[in-house]
Amino acid sequence: MTPTAAATAAVTPVPSAGERRRRRVRRVRSGIWNALAGHGLALTVPLLPAAPSGEPSAVYGVGFVIAQLVLATAVVALGITRTLRRDGANSVGLAIGWIAGMPVAAVAGVALLFALGAM
């Protein structure tokens, strides 16, 4: 008797529905935290050229808007790429994190803008 190909192939167990759900939740959370970290960078990176300049509030304002546009572009590009790679959970997390972080980043950016203007 010779074994069939199906009998000799390594069978990978199918994860349970609960395990798949936990993995998706982790991927969504990962996307949310990545987008929020991007907002943090978009808030702080424009401070580097603004601090030594003569008009720090103007330089920071322009840099902040540019950084947010770059972040939005990156979130859309990563979301499309992850969706095409069948990782929709991470794409959803990126979108949620970007949308949730935008109001907070806007308020923090305006506060930094006023603080730099008072210098």
Side-chain angles (χ1 to χ4, degrees):
M1 280 178 82
T2 60
T4 62
T8 59
V11 178
T12 56
V14 177
S16 67
E19 178 62 27
R20 286 192 307 264
R21 192 173 306 116
R22 282 190 294 277
R23 287 181 188 170
R24 280 194 304 262
V25 168
R26 273 187 253 141
R27 297 299 296 162
V28 170
R29 285 183 187 153
S30 170
I32 290 171
W33 286 112
N34 284 333
L36 292 176
H39 278 299
L41 283 173
L43 277 169
T44 56
V45 168
L47 286 172
L48 296 174
S53 69
E55 273 299 315
S57 60
V59 173
Y60 180 78
V62 171
F64 176 71
V65 169
I66 290 171
Q68 287 296 329
L69 290 174
V70 168
L71 177 64
T73 305
V75 165
V76 169
L78 279 173
I80 290 170
T81 303
R82 300 284 170 103
T83 301
L84 292 176
R85 291 184 182 171
R86 304 279 187 205
D87 189 9
N90 196 266
S91 301
V92 168
L94 282 169
I96 291 170
W98 184 79
I99 291 168
M102 195 61 211
V104 175
V107 170
V110 169
L112 280 171
L113 195 64
F114 283 134
L116 288 171
M119 293 179 110

